Amino acid sequence: MTARRLWAAVEPLHAVVYFAPETAAAAKAAGLRGYWMGYFAGRLAPLGPIGPEPAAAVLFGFAPAMVARALPDAWSFASPADVVESRLEAVSAVVPADPELAALLWCAVEACEFGGRPLAAAWAAVPKPADPAAALWLAATILREHRGDGHVLAAVHAGLSGLETTLTHIGDGVIGRADVQPHRGWSDEQWDAAVDRLRTRGVLDAAGRLTEAGRELRRRVEADTDRLAAAPVEALGDDLARVLELAVPLSRAVIDSGVVPVPNPMGVPRP
């Protein structure tokens, strides 16, 4: 659970990149067209000019057809290096700067193992920015994608597709279908077919809620996710308390100011 506490405390500091108008303006200035092209290119840029098939595999929860509408076209408008640079410049104007918190998060990053974690590894290869706010955001992003890649590994190990994993979150009441489906690109037919598969498997009941077996499956996935995200927390040791002390007020501030809305399609909570 300590790994989950770190995620909840730091996730909003990463998530500003999806909602702040400065990010959208930076993507437009870099040449990208529309929110979703900016999202996919901005999140995946450290991997290079990636195509739609590997991009959908890395992102896991998005419909491949939605990803294909943005990639690889994005790279004809802006290079991956320019996209990374524009994103770091944008977050420097949005994320609160806290050098002590940034230093602690970078200590946690140093403990990350990146085997099987392509997105986290790619962001970890981005040079640490001199700007303290951008440096804090990048550390939070590496930790976030490290946990996210681990979550994909845990879900695949449990026999779940990206959409099916999303349905277990909805079945647990974490978020609603209307909050997720428009932002992930799945058609009604794809959505309903995935629901039917999970009902046949005994994971969802007739109302789309988790059954007892479904709750146990989700518990295992979350426990595996926490276990795979444990190394950075263990490296912090007693400093975890200080990280939470510093990060929670900053994360609450970006949520309470409306920069990061709650609820949101990612299920980011107010810590």
Side-chain angles (χ1 to χ4, degrees):
M1 290 295 290
T2 52
R4 211 172 306 179
R5 290 176 64 199
L6 177 62
W7 169 78
V10 174
E11 176 73 1
L13 300 177
H14 162 81
V16 297
V17 77
Y18 305 124
F19 303 104
E22 290 86 348
T23 305
K28 183 177 181 180
L32 299 175
R33 300 185 177 184
Y35 175 84
W36 285 111
M37 181 177 283
Y39 174 91
F40 290 122
R43 192 169 171 203
L44 296 167
L47 288 165
I50 190 171
E53 294 85 4
V58 168
L59 295 178
F60 193 60
F62 286 88
M66 182 178 183
V67 179
R69 286 196 290 271
L71 301 177
D73 286 354
W75 313 126
S76 67
F77 299 113
S79 71
D82 287 344
V83 173
V84 170
E85 181 179 358
S86 69
R87 179 149 287 204
L88 291 174
E89 289 177 356
V91 297
S92 68
V94 182
V95 176
D98 188 317
E100 182 184 0
L101 176 60
L104 289 169
L105 293 182
W106 278 100
C107 287
V109 166
E110 291 174 2
C112 290
E113 295 287 343
F114 296 111
R117 293 176 167 94
L119 195 49
W123 278 106
V126 173
K128 182 180 177 181
D131 179 84
L136 190 156
W137 179 84
L138 180 56
T141 295
I142 297 167
L143 292 171
R144 189 261 193 173
E145 300 297 9
H146 179 268
R147 180 182 177 87
D149 285 344
H151 184 62
V152 172
L153 293 172
V156 171
H157 179 67
L160 296 170
S161 68
L163 176 52
E164 290 166 351
T165 304
T166 299
L167 289 170
T168 67
H169 286 269
I170 292 173
D172 200 27
V174 174
I175 200 166
R177 176 174 178 169
D179 298 314
V180 178
Q181 188 177 3
H183 303 282
R184 294 295 181 267
W186 300 103
S187 68
D188 287 339
E189 292 77 13
Q190 291 169 321
W191 192 279
D192 294 341
V195 169
D196 288 342
R197 289 195 299 272
L198 291 181
R199 284 175 177 159
T200 300
R201 189 173 166 182
V203 173
L204 296 179
D205 63 18
R209 302 289 294 181
L210 290 177
T211 62
E212 183 176 347
R215 288 190 293 273
E216 174 58 22
L217 175 66
R218 180 163 164 76
R219 186 201 65 77
R220 292 200 309 271
V221 170
E222 293 301 324
D224 285 343
T225 300
D226 289 339
R227 177 176 56 81
L228 293 169
V233 178
E234 293 171 355
L236 285 171
D238 293 340
D239 286 335
L240 175 62
R242 182 59 175 162
V243 168
L244 298 179
E245 181 182 2
L246 294 170
V248 167
L250 294 182
S251 288
R252 287 176 178 171
V254 299
I255 287 173
D256 294 344
S257 67
V259 175
V260 176
V262 174
N264 51 73
M266 298 174 295
V268 178
R270 184 182 185 273

